[in-house]
Amino acid sequence: MKRAVAAAAVLALAVTGCGGKQQTDQAAPGGTQSCETAEGRITIATGNSGGVYYVLGGGLAQLVSNNTKLRATAAETGASVQNIQQLVAGNYDVAFSLADTAADAVNGKGSFAGKPQKIQALSRIYPNSTQVLVRTDSGINSVADMKGKRISTGSPKSGTEVIANRLLQAAGLKPDADVQAQRLDLAKTADGMKAGTLDGLVWSGGLPTAQITDITTSLKDKVKFLDITPLLPALKQVNPVYDQAVIPKAAYGQPADVPTVVVPNLLLVREDFPAGNACAITKLIFDKQAELAKVHPAAKEISRQLATQTDPVPLHPGAKQALG
């Protein structure tokens, strides 16, 4: 029921158009920057319709629209890589992204090789759990066992695809040659797992993710999560942002907690995003965190103490003001 309500809220807000026009910053009396928005419209790039970005993005858009002079809308996207590309192109004003993908963007690496992107962060938000789920009859007990198997590696240009490929490489496999990689969004991935046309999947998302719940509820003991933490040292050599945590057994009704790899999420804007808007939206996230948590429980993990930890992505000056 919670998913249905959240999805309805998001669908009411979802758009496929370009970024809205924004007003220029207004200075507060005394020359300091105002922590208020001007009138205008903004769009928020989220992710797959079954993922947490999509649900929380809709919730955030509603908060912004209800509490500021801005009218905000949320759009379904392929997620992190695509979000950053289209954010920089001016198609969106705010974007969700995995921190490792955002680091690649500012450093001109990975999907952004040789082309550093001029982006900044409003805040570090909740962490994404890397969820590797396989059919129990697939013979897969580790990532290395995925050789020759049909594996969903996520939507093209998504943060999930970045992590999936890095996991495969860390296990000694070539993503484009050693596995039958299926670049599917989460809805098609769930359909494939239930139909038996996929042997496994990699998904990077908050807990719980509705489509993963659908798979585990439908297939029960026909699927299992893999412990991928033996690959963490190799992943840390690629990017130190990766860390270890667990998928609690209660998240998907599993018999035990599953160790996994997590990576923080960031909320991103362009360098020219108005400081007043940045300050007001960042402040709103923490002032109304309880309301976001009603949209999706992953918002409970947003921490003010960790909010400024966005390196190497610089924190937007307006966000610094809000978090100072």
Side-chain angles (χ1 to χ4, degrees):
M1 181 64 184
K2 287 183 179 179
R3 175 178 176 251
V5 172
V10 177
L11 285 171
L13 293 164
V15 296
T16 55
C18 295
K21 293 182 179 179
Q22 302 176 40
Q23 301 290 331
T24 56
D25 286 331
Q26 297 178 351
T32 59
Q33 179 60 52
S34 171
C35 193
E36 295 183 2
T37 68
E39 292 184 0
R41 305 185 70 87
I42 62 169
T43 54
I44 303 171
T46 64
N48 288 181
S49 61
V52 179
Y53 282 1
Y54 182 69
V55 178
L56 275 184
L60 178 60
Q62 196 165 49
L63 278 183
V64 170
S65 295
N66 291 345
N67 293 278
T68 76
K69 297 177 183 178
L70 292 171
R71 301 282 73 83
T73 49
E76 180 183 358
T77 69
S80 298
V81 176
Q82 178 189 339
N83 284 0
I84 293 173
Q85 291 173 337
Q86 295 189 353
L87 176 70
V88 172
N91 296 327
Y92 300 111
D93 304 296
V94 180
F96 284 77
S97 175
L98 283 164
D100 59 340
T101 303
D104 285 349
V106 297
N107 290 327
K109 296 182 178 179
S111 300
F112 307 91
K115 297 179 180 179
Q117 304 294 300
K118 295 182 178 181
I119 55 173
Q120 296 182 344
L122 294 184
S123 180
R124 173 171 166 167
I125 48 176
Y126 67 95
N128 262 18
S129 294
T130 309
Q131 301 163 59
V132 181
L133 190 65
V134 300
R135 293 183 64 95
T136 52
D137 61 2
S138 66
I140 303 173
N141 295 301
S142 68
V143 175
D145 291 337
M146 290 181 173
K147 187 171 185 178
K149 303 295 185 178
R150 303 163 299 178
I151 306 297
S152 173
T153 54
S155 299
K157 297 187 177 182
S158 66
T160 290
E161 185 175 54
V162 171
I163 290 180
N165 288 341
R166 286 177 176 173
L167 280 172
L168 292 167
Q169 290 164 352
L173 301 178
K174 296 178 180 178
D176 57 350
D178 291 337
V179 299
Q180 297 182 52
Q182 309 294 305
R183 304 174 77 195
L184 302 175
D185 65 25
L186 197 50
K188 291 179 181 177
T189 296
D191 290 343
M193 288 292 288
K194 290 186 289 185
T197 56
L198 288 173
D199 298 305
L201 68 90
V202 179
W203 167 250
S204 179
L207 298 172
T209 295
Q211 296 284 13
I212 303 299
T213 300
D214 179 28
I215 296 169
T216 57
T217 301
S218 299
L219 297 181
K220 296 182 171 56
D221 60 359
K222 293 181 180 179
V223 291
K224 63 181 180 181
F225 287 94
L226 297 186
D227 175 1
I228 57 171
T229 55
L231 301 175
L232 181 57
L235 291 174
K236 277 185 168 292
Q237 289 182 6
V238 177
N239 193 316
V241 74
Y242 296 110
D243 205 353
Q244 181 170 337
V246 298
I247 301 172
K249 61 183 181 181
Y252 298 113
Q254 297 300 294
D257 294 347
V258 179
T260 194
V261 173
V262 294
V263 59
N265 288 297
L266 303 179
L267 205 58
L268 302 174
V269 294
R270 293 183 300 278
E271 289 182 345
D272 63 356
F273 191 70
N277 290 357
C279 182
I281 293 172
T282 304
K283 187 173 185 295
L284 189 64
I285 290 169
F286 293 95
D287 288 350
K288 302 290 185 179
Q289 184 175 358
E291 292 186 31
L292 280 178
K294 290 179 182 178
V295 175
H296 196 285
K300 294 178 182 178
E301 297 188 67
I302 299 174
S303 166
R304 194 179 188 92
Q305 288 69 37
L306 299 175
T308 61
Q309 296 182 20
T310 62
D311 288 341
V313 181
L315 198 65
H316 190 286
K320 286 182 183 178
Q321 181 180 344
L323 296 169

